[in-house]
Amino acid sequence: MDEPWWEGRVASDVHCTLREKELKLPAFRAHSPLLKSRRFFVDILTLLSSHCQLCPAARHLAVYLLDHFLDRYSITTSKQLYAVAISCLLLASKFEDREDHVPKLEQINSTRILSSQSFTLTKKELLSTELLLLEAFGWNLCLPTPAHFLDYYLSASVSQKDHHCHSWPTACARKTKECLKEYAHYFLEVTLQDHIFYKFQPSLVAAACVGAARICLQLSPYWTRDLQRISDYSLEHLSTCIEILLV
């Protein structure tokens, strides 16, 4: 596909399909004894994905796979945990990103994160772990995350009718939209840092990122009719999630 789906003629249909799929996502129970290590491994995946220039959808899918695998299965050794985390990133990048962006084994083992450990990961170990993950998720990686919705909602994030409080930011709609996109993607990355966001549907979290960005930029109203129409969420629906993001 040459153009992003959210810019195409079938954007509304794709959005509806993603909304249907998110209703079938399993609940996150937060039962893993490794939750205390979660932030560390999320940071590893974030750093590696940035190093390999992976798209947000790949990064968010990788974290989703890691969280839900650890929520259901026990891991006993540090090396196994590293292998699972890296394999989640590899699977997500193969599913969501370009082939030339998929991390290579040499890149992974040479990063400071892994080179500081007393082990290296082999191709055989990663392939077997990828297979384990695929079987655990029923060979289904079409799992919507907030990153899959954000750009669609950003397409309606700024209007010529917006009122700019205190004359900031610039009244130029293009520059305002660029600034709002940066804020929204910042909030999108914030959602990776805490599993509390699994309480909400991914589409709601994405919409809340846009809402939080508009609040930060002091755009009035905070939530427009166009945003409510495209997302099917009112500001009241989003208020709890926005509050967590802003805090």
Side-chain angles (χ1 to χ4, degrees), residues 23-229:
L23 296 176
K24 301 175 184 177
L25 293 174
F28 182 71
R29 303 172 301 170
H31 284 177
S32 173
L34 296 171
L35 267 182
K36 61 182 181 298
S37 303
R38 180 185 182 276
R39 178 72 69 89
F40 174 73
F41 282 94
V42 168
D43 286 345
I44 287 177
L45 294 182
T46 301
L47 288 169
L48 276 174
S49 64
S50 297
H51 180 68
C52 298
Q53 298 180 313
L54 297 180
C55 65
R59 179 162 56 255
H60 281 255
L61 178 58
V63 173
Y64 178 94
L65 295 174
L66 178 64
D67 280 334
H68 282 76
F69 185 83
L70 295 182
D71 203 38
R72 287 186 270 166
Y73 301 95
S74 298
I75 295 179
T76 55
T77 70
S78 176
K79 186 174 184 179
Q80 285 178 332
L81 185 52
Y82 274 91
V84 167
I86 299 302
S87 295
C88 287
L89 187 66
L90 289 171
L91 280 179
S93 61
K94 291 173 183 176
F95 190 74
E96 294 287 354
D97 219 318
R98 290 167 23 192
E99 184 178 354
D100 59 328
H101 281 182
V102 176
K104 304 294 188 292
L105 182 61
E106 299 76 24
Q107 284 179 293
I108 293 169
N109 280 323
S110 65
T111 57
R112 188 171 61 179
I113 300 160
L114 283 188
S115 60
S116 64
Q117 304 298 316
S118 58
F119 57 79
T120 56
L121 297 172
T122 66
K123 185 175 182 180
K124 183 178 180 180
E125 287 171 329
L126 289 175
L127 285 173
S128 63
T129 308
E130 284 182 50
L131 182 59
L132 177 66
L133 286 164
L134 285 169
E135 291 174 345
F137 287 96
W139 293 80
N140 174 31
L141 297 185
C142 190
L143 304 164
T145 70
H148 291 92
F149 293 96
L150 184 64
D151 286 304
Y152 181 60
Y153 297 156
L154 281 172
S155 67
S157 60
V158 174
S159 166
Q160 293 288 351
K161 298 178 182 178
D162 285 341
H163 174 66
H164 301 259
C165 301
H166 309 301
S167 299
W168 189 90
T170 174
C172 172
R174 180 183 60 80
K175 290 184 178 180
T176 301
K177 195 165 187 175
E178 289 174 359
C179 197
L180 190 142
K181 183 178 179 179
E182 287 186 19
Y183 269 81
H185 275 276
Y186 163 75
F187 284 120
L188 182 67
E189 296 312 301
V190 168
T191 66
L192 290 178
Q193 298 301 317
D194 198 321
H195 60 80
I196 193 174
F197 291 100
Y198 286 124
K199 288 172 44 179
F200 310 101
Q201 296 285 11
S203 59
L204 187 147
V205 174
C209 289
V210 176
R214 285 182 61 87
I215 290 171
C216 286
L217 294 182
Q218 301 180 40
L219 297 180
S220 179
Y222 290 149
W223 197 247
T224 65
R225 289 182 180 179
D226 284 344
L227 280 167
Q228 182 161 335
R229 174 186 53 80

